[in-house]
Every structure is written in structure tokens, then in C-alpha cells.
Amino acid sequence: MNPRSLAVLCLALAAAVPVQAARALYDFNPGWKLAVGDPADAAAPGFDDSGWRGVTLPRAWNEDEAFRKDIADLSTSVAWYRKHFRVPDLRPGGKVFLEFEGARQAAEVWVNGRRVGLHENGINAFGVEIGAYLVAGDNVVAVRTDNSWDYRERATGQRFQWNDKNFNANYGGLAKNVRLHVTDDVYQTLPLYSSLGTTGVYVYARDFDVPRQRATVWTESQVRNEGARPRRVEYVVELRERDGRRVARFGAPAQRIAPGATVTLKAHARVAGLRFWSWGYGYLYDVVTTLRVDGKPLDTVTTRTGFRKTAFGDGMIALNDRVIQMHGYAQRTSNEWPAVGMSVPAWLSDYGNGLALESNANLIRWMHIAPWKQDVESLDRLGLMQALPAGDSEADVTGRRWEQRIDAMRDAIVYNRNNPSVVFYESGNKGISADHMRTMKALRDTFDPYGGRAAGSREMLSRELQQIAEYGGEMLYINKSAGMPVWAMEYARDEALRKYWDDLSPPYHKDGAGPPYKGQDASVYNRNQDSFAIEDVERWYDYWRARPGTGRRVSSGGVNIVFSDSNTHHRGAENYRRSGEVDAMRIPKDAWYAHQVMWDGWVDVEQPRAHIVGHWNYPAGTVKPVTVVSSAERVKLFVNGQEAGVAAQRARFLFTFDKVVWAPGELMAVGYDAQGKEVCRATLATAGAPVALRLTPIVSPQGLRADGADLALLQVEAVDAAGRRNPLALDTVDFAVDGPAEWRGGIAQGPDNFILARSLPVEAGVNRVLLRTTTSPGRIVVRARARGLAPAELALVSTAVAVRDGLAALPAPLPVRLDRGPTPATPSFVVSRVAVPVASAATPDGAADGMRSVDDDEPTAWTSRAGAAPEITYTLARPARLSEIELKLTGWRDRSYPLEVYVDGRPAWRGVTPKSLGYVALPLDGAEGRTVRIVLAGAAQEGGGMRLTEVANQANTATGTQGVSTATLSIVEAEFYERARP
């Protein structure tokens, strides 16, 4: 090593040890050896691992299979990881902790041949204290992992419910980060409850004054004295800006801590000038908690966190006193990439999750299991809220399986309670019992009582459950509430390959063409981009029209499943799920732009936008419909400056222009407000024939690190003479790489999905590939060639990362996103209609249960009785000029009801209700009166309903029709509205 490199290494390692305190924190990812199999004596310090593969963590041993194989076929095995290391300045009595952010499925840890720990649930972080097993010289840690699908807990023989082949992609081994902590024998504990029995530091704020930017900041540190004598410990807290500038300093007087004792030290202070964490405004502070003895620092912990105020009630969610409707994605927790799996550097997590933010998502609901810390911290930096699950498949459970879920939830709370992006704790991917919900809420109250996070679960819709849970909502349907907020846990479940534009474009995939799934039609899982984007808009419309401001009972939104194409269960022609608004390489589909348009607002539209679905490259003579997604009030379409017909508008955001004649040039959509003023525009231009390739690097804002784990994302495009991407190009590109990099490649439709292939096609004119650095720094040259196109070349430079005795300094913190600015002080919605309360409900048979249809309790319904007239009469609390009635009718997805509506005896509406995913609206156009009679005017019609073939458990699709005759009128909820006055 040259002198300059040695100096850099020494400085970097010195930075890992705070000058003022004894604690040191190291990156423990470098320098591992990996072997698949179960060799004897692999835990022994002297075991010969010279033939094993050298890797930098995080690294799944079966990463090559990510997206190459169906989830059910991902390889399982025992795999060993070994590493040699030295701990500098190892002191007798000092504490040394290994912190693993997780392992799949189980990990058994040895240090210098001594077994020190076992972790089995495949989700949570865990730790081991290894100080007593270390020597002053070379040490060896060995980890035996087992990712069997059928892994069973050793003590009980019980499987883990969430080790599931449908959704939990099995990236085996040490696929998450590892850290090493070195402390004195008096120290602040780590938040690793199950493995170490400790809870660490807890930071929160209370008594918010949002307009004046004030709050009371509290810190609590669990402290242990594992020394032989009592110590008087002073507790000092500093609140610092990201640049290190001190904002506040406070603390608590010295306290005596006896040998062997564990205490919690607390301090708080009123702090002014705070910038509150918000949507798209990931403002974070460093909270530095220090233990001082005799005036000297003994242990320091830095907690990066943010402060925000939340509220959950009246059917709505508020962030920093502003109501926000949830819109985002139910993302697979694996959040994976082709040929890499989940093990990507933190900057790439920010890049991928950042695209969700740029589509104007405000919430990520991680599915089934808690995410790893890297993704949690990523959403902190971005300003994206998240829902944090425990561990579940899709059912409530009992016995040891329920205890396993409690353990997973408790550990997730303790480990992530300082992350401001965590706003919801999810107790089950499907409904749980009232007693189980009480247990989960009690966990929150015990370990995170002041974090401003709601405890809930999917469903939670009954009156009893709404008295316990703090949020809920179905997986498939539209729910509304005037009390506990409800939002949809999953919607828009269709699939589409990014390669397919429409029926008229190469490779001429007919929309919906593909094999059946389990003998059923699977056309909705083989869509093209046009119909996929349109479907996404139509599905969101149901939630948007029930947004806050539209009445007493509202929807708090919902999350689309999923954000990026995923190596999990699928229903379409490919062997992976293509429900993403971006593909597996995070290239946007048209649906991504559609969401960007619909979601640009906290509740109401705040920034009008427009997007033209598709492209503008067609053969002469083509006549086709053109769809514009826009949040403007009106849209006009122009072909080369000439207006192209009148739009038909539906689902609020969809404007369709029928029979548009294609002509080369520019297609432009212009959006206008209600007064006719232009507020947005979008254009598409015809691209010429591709003549060249273009390569664009996407790397960390901190540069490419030669650490053996960093990745570079390279985009390749086929462009015309003017540099415009040709949207129809399908050229095969051959890649060559020179320099210290490992090819990981990309994905495309074809054999083995082109995983790890050096040649792969662009699709719709673009594709991406990944390169991984090695531990040698240097210049990396990438060349791309395709027949008939000018080649492209780019050079990258990876910089050295100092590693000494197996230890490295932690990378510098990544930048935060502040794009959207602080929470606006203005209201987020305008009241568009006012609910008229119901005083009473009368039925022909005189039954007293009519009010069940207006009780804000969706699991209950009123149903007319056999032999009685199928009608109900509501008396409103006051006379009203009604604009609308909204009904949730039993069998809403499967039945259409022929209805007649009378207001004060006068006909107000007649027709057949459409099948829906929840509520239907009946326009009354200002009918005045106080009584409303709803009559079934014939048998309800069944058949031709909205089929939900993707749902594995068809019981989840039930709409309450079992035992309810089509000759009866059955109403779940009825609502009556007046237009709001200007």
C-alpha cells in the first residue's frame, strides 16, 4: 500500500471512533468468505476457507437467481459466512456487539469457535455480545445460515407463517448489513430486544406548536452498568443540524448506577425553530446522547431522526395539522433487483424509493414482513411515510405462531421507533381478532407510546374493532368511515410488461393475450401499457371521489400493489409479478406518469398536470384513440397545432380523444382550469429511426465506492439523429466491460429473462444494467454495441475504501430530499358536499334494524325480509336539497339493483346500479325534501361482476351475498348529500 492510501485508511478508521467518547462504530460488511453447503468444523477458527468466495456484505448467496427463477424455485441450502477481524484497543471488560440487520432464514453465530447466538425468524435485526470471546489478535466470526422454505424453530418445531413462497422472495444468507459496536462497560444499549433484551435510545417530540415551529423534544436512553463498581452518570443531549451545527443542548443530573443495573435516563427541552419532517421533506436531525462520568464523556450515541405531528380521527389522517389522503404503493418488502435481490447499496434504495416519491406517492406499505433498516432509513431521507408490518401470511393465527408474530412486532417497534417515516404499525396482513389487536396495541403503548404512530391491521371494520384499532381498511374494496381512518391496503392488482405499448406497436402484443391462470381468464394480468395506465386511473378514482371534504364518511385513500415489478407470485405470462408502475430496473411505465398526475396534492389537486398515454410513432394511415391523463378541468389535444376532436371524460382524470389521425410531428395536450386558463401541457414527438446507442450512468451522489458491494446503474437507449429515444426500438445490445467491476446485467423478455446475460435487448427503446464494484479501485470502461447503430462508451472511476483488519468506517450519510418543502399551512381540501344526517329509518314490516344501514359500521347491513316490500324510508334530520345519494349495497361487486328513489314522495332517480368495488352514487340533481324512500323495482341482477381472479383466497372476495336473496333490498351504508355552498 502506498503512503497516501495508508494515510487515507488511517484517517477513515479514526473517524469511526468519536474523539470525545469511548464508543466506536464500524462497518463490518467487508472481508467475508462465503460457501454454500455445510462443511464440518466450519465454525472452527483454524478451518481452511481459502477456497471460499470472497464477498462484501450484504450478499445473498443465491442472488444470481433473482428474477431468473419463479419465487417458488429459488434455491435453498445451508450456507456459511466467515470473516477474520481485529478489534483495535480491545480493553478488558469492554463490550463488543455485532449488529446484524437480518438474515434469511436462520443464522447461527460463532466467534473463535464459541457459539454466541441463534436468530431464526428471517425478518428482524439481531445482535450478539462477543467481547468475552475475543482475543487481542486475529478473531474469526462464522455464521451458518439456513434458508429452507420449511425451516422450523428449533425449540418448538413450528414453521414461521411468513416464510411463504407467494410473497417473501427467498434471498438466502446475510443479505443485510452488519455493524460492530465497541463500548465501555457502562453504555447505552442497542435496540435489539429479542437477542440482547435491550431497547436502546428513544427520541420523540410532544406538545407540538406547528405554526410557531416549536415542540418539546424528549430523549430516553437505556443504560447498563456491567462494570464492578457503581458509577455516577450525567446524561447530556445535543440536537444538531445535519451539518453538525448545534440547535439545542440539555440533559439530566448525574445519577448513581449500581453494578449490574439497567436504568433509563431521560431528558427533555422545549425547542424552537424546528423544521418538521413532512411528505417529500425529509428533514432530519442528529440527536447526540452522551454519558459523562466525572465530567468526561464515556459513551456517545447519535440517533438520526425527524419530528412530525400526526393525528388519526374523524375518518382522516393529519400530518403537521394538515389532512393528507394516503396514496402510494403496497411494496414487496424484498424490494429487489434482477441478479442482485434485495442487497443493494443505500443510495440505490434512495433512487428506487425516490421514484415512488416522484410519482407523488406519500406512503409505502411494506407487505407481510418488516423491511430492513436500510429501506426504513431511506424513506426517512425521502419524506415518504411507511406502514411497518410484523410478520404474517394472510390469516390470524394462534399458539406459537401468534407468539412469533408478537416477537416480530415488538422487535420491529423497538428497532424502528426513532424513524419519523414510520407512521403505521400493521398487526396483520388480514384481519385479526379483537384480543389480538389489543395485544398489538399494548406493544405499541409499551415500547413506543409517544411516537405518533397508529396501530391497526387490514380490515378492522367492525364497531368492536374500531374501538380498539386506530386504522384499518380492506384489501380489495372501497371503505369509508367517519371515525377511525380507513385506507385500502392493496388495489389495482393487474399486470403489464413494460415492453408492450399497445395493440398497434411492435412487438404487437394484443392487450390481454396470454395463458389462463389456474384455468381462468388471465387477460388482466397480461395488459399492455395503455390499458394498464387507464386501469390504474379508474381504480384510484373510487378513492379520490370519497376523499376528505366529500362528506362525513370518507376514505383515507389506498395503496396500489406494487411499485416495482417483483420476483414474487404472478398471474401473467412471465415468471415474476409485473404489477409495478416501474419495471424491475426502475424504468417507468406509463402508469407511473399517470400517478404523478393524479396524486399531486395532499387531498385535492394542487398542481395540475397532464400526461399523454403512449407514444407518437405509427405507420401512415393509423387512426387510434388517444388518452390523456390530466388533473385539469378541461383538456384539448393538438396534432401539429391542429385541434384533434373533443374529449370524452371519465373517472375525472381520463380524457379520451377518439379516432385521432396520426401524422408525424408533435402531439400536444393542453389542460385548462374552469375559467379557461391554461394550467398544464404535455407533448409527444415522433422520433426518427434509431441511429445510435446512448449510455447514461446513474451512481451514488457520493461517487462509486470500490468496496465490493456498490453498484452502478447504466441506462442504454436507442436514439435517432436528434438524440430522441425511439419508443419502438427492440435492438439487441452487446456489452463489454473493462476494469475492476463485476457484471450483474439487467432483465428483458426472453430466455431466463436475460439474467446475467452480456447481450440483451432494449424494450420500448431503453433498458438498464447493473455493474458491481470490486475491492480494487480504478477506471471502468463500458462499451455498448448493436447492429446498425453507432456504439456508445462511458467510463466510471471507483475510489478506494479503507478497510483495516476487517473493519471500515461507515459511509457518510446520504443527502435528504426536501423537494416539496415544509407542510403548507393552508387547508388541503375544499368541502365539496355536505352530509345530511338521518333521524330515523322505517321499513314496511316495522322492524327496528333499518338504522343499521346508516350506522358507519360496514360489516352490518339492513336487509328487507321475505314477504315484506323491499323498500326503506329514511327521515332526514332536516329538510335538504339533495344532490346525491351514495349506497354500499350488499353484493356490490356481484349484483346490480334496479332501484327507484322518491324524495318526499316525488320520483328522484330510477335505474340499475352498476357493479362496483364499494359505493355507487345516484345523482338527484337537487331534489328537495326530508323523506327519502328507496325501493327495489325488480330482482337484483347477478353475473358479469368484477372478477378478481388473482386473489388466492377467494373468501377475501366475499361481498355478503351468501343467504341474501336477489328479491331483497340489502343496504350496507346509505349516505345523503347536499352540494357545499360556495
Side-chain angles (χ1 to χ4, degrees), residues 4-5 8 699-710 740 773-780 796-803:
R4 181 180 178 185
S5 297
V8 170
V699 297
S700 168
Q702 298 170 336
L704 195 59
R705 293 164 47 90
D707 60 1
D710 201 3
T773 63
T774 70
T775 53
S776 299
R779 189 169 186 265
I780 303 164
L796 303 167
V797 177
S798 62
T799 58
V801 174
V803 180

Side-chain angles (χ1 to χ4, degrees), residues 326-543:
M326 300 295 97
H327 39 73
Y329 304 98
Q331 179 72 336
R332 298 301 188 194
T333 302
S334 46
N335 206 9
E336 67 269 82
W337 293 70
V340 175
M342 67 185 302
S343 302
V344 300
W347 78 265
L348 196 54
S349 293
D350 283 9
Y351 175 79
N353 296 333
L355 285 169
L357 174 65
E358 289 167 25
S359 76
N360 284 319
N362 58 35
L363 173 68
I364 301 295
R365 177 205 175 222
W366 301 108
M367 297 188 69
H368 297 281
I369 62 172
W372 66 321
K373 192 68 166 182
Q374 181 168 296
D375 267 325
V376 173
E377 293 175 338
S378 173
L379 300 196
D380 285 347
R381 292 187 290 269
L382 296 169
L384 263 174
M385 293 178 281
Q386 59 186 306
L388 197 76
D392 190 5
S393 179
E394 198 168 89
D396 203 0
V397 287
T398 58
R400 180 55 192 156
R401 288 196 299 169
W402 174 246
E403 294 170 353
Q404 289 171 338
R405 194 187 304 185
I406 291 174
D407 293 345
M409 187 82 263
R410 179 193 58 218
D411 285 8
I413 291 173
V414 170
Y415 198 58
N416 299 291
R417 62 186 179 173
N418 296 318
N419 295 95
S421 55
V422 178
V423 174
F424 302 98
Y425 291 131
E426 181 177 296
S427 306
N429 186 63
K430 186 171 169 55
I432 60 175
S433 70
D435 284 345
H436 283 178
M437 189 64 244
R438 288 189 187 93
T439 298
M440 287 295 191
K441 190 175 176 182
L443 282 181
R444 192 279 314 274
D445 291 343
T446 299
F447 294 103
D448 185 19
Y450 306 116
R453 299 177 175 97
S457 173
R458 204 178 99 197
E459 300 176 356
M460 299 293 104
L461 300 174
S462 72
R463 183 61 54 84
E464 178 189 17
L465 289 167
Q466 288 202 30
Q467 299 304 312
I468 306 167
E470 293 160 331
Y471 77 95
E474 250 298 357
M475 177 178 72
L476 304 170
Y477 303 124
I478 315 301
N479 304 115
K480 297 169 69 175
S481 173
M484 176 194 75
V486 293
W487 48 272
M489 305 296 172
E490 304 169 24
Y491 77 91
R493 306 169 65 82
D494 298 7
E495 299 185 34
L497 196 67
R498 185 183 63 80
K499 179 178 181 177
Y500 302 142
W501 282 111
D502 55 36
D503 293 1
L504 304 176
S505 303
Y508 304 109
H509 168 81
K510 183 173 176 58
D511 188 38
Y517 174 72
K518 294 185 176 179
Q520 296 181 336
D521 173 59
S523 57
V524 295
Y525 310 112
N526 291 287
R527 290 189 180 274
N528 59 37
Q529 286 209 55
D530 275 21
S531 74
F532 184 62
I534 291 168
E535 172 70 11
D536 270 355
V537 176
E538 291 178 333
R539 290 285 69 78
W540 171 248
Y541 175 68
D542 286 323
Y543 301 96

Side-chain angles (χ1 to χ4, degrees), residues 851-935:
M851 292 296 283
R852 291 176 59 155
S853 62
V854 290
D855 60 357
D856 195 24
D857 188 354
E858 289 185 332
T860 67
W862 166 80
T863 302
S864 62
R865 288 171 172 78
E871 62 178 64
I872 187 169
T873 299
Y874 297 96
T875 299
L876 305 180
R878 58 177 173 79
R881 184 180 178 86
L882 295 175
S883 61
E884 254 180 335
I885 296 176
E886 280 210 7
L887 298 174
K888 188 167 193 177
L889 298 159
T890 298
W892 56 87
R893 180 175 60 83
D894 306 302
R895 288 184 179 179
S896 296
Y897 288 77
L899 298 181
E900 294 175 353
V901 178
Y902 301 87
V903 176
D904 278 1
R906 297 183 297 273
W909 190 88
R910 181 186 178 92
V912 179
T913 63
K915 297 177 176 68
S916 74
L917 292 180
Y919 288 80
V920 295
L922 313 182
L924 299 190
D925 197 26
E928 294 188 67
R930 190 172 179 184
T931 64
V932 179
R933 184 163 64 102
I934 302 176
V935 180

Side-chain angles (χ1 to χ4, degrees), residues 646-671:
V646 178
Q649 185 183 8
R650 71 183 193 277
R652 173 59 177 87
F653 301 105
L654 285 175
F655 297 82
T656 302
F657 298 82
D658 196 19
K659 296 181 180 179
V660 177
V661 179
W662 178 83
E666 182 182 72
L667 181 67
M668 180 172 64
V670 181

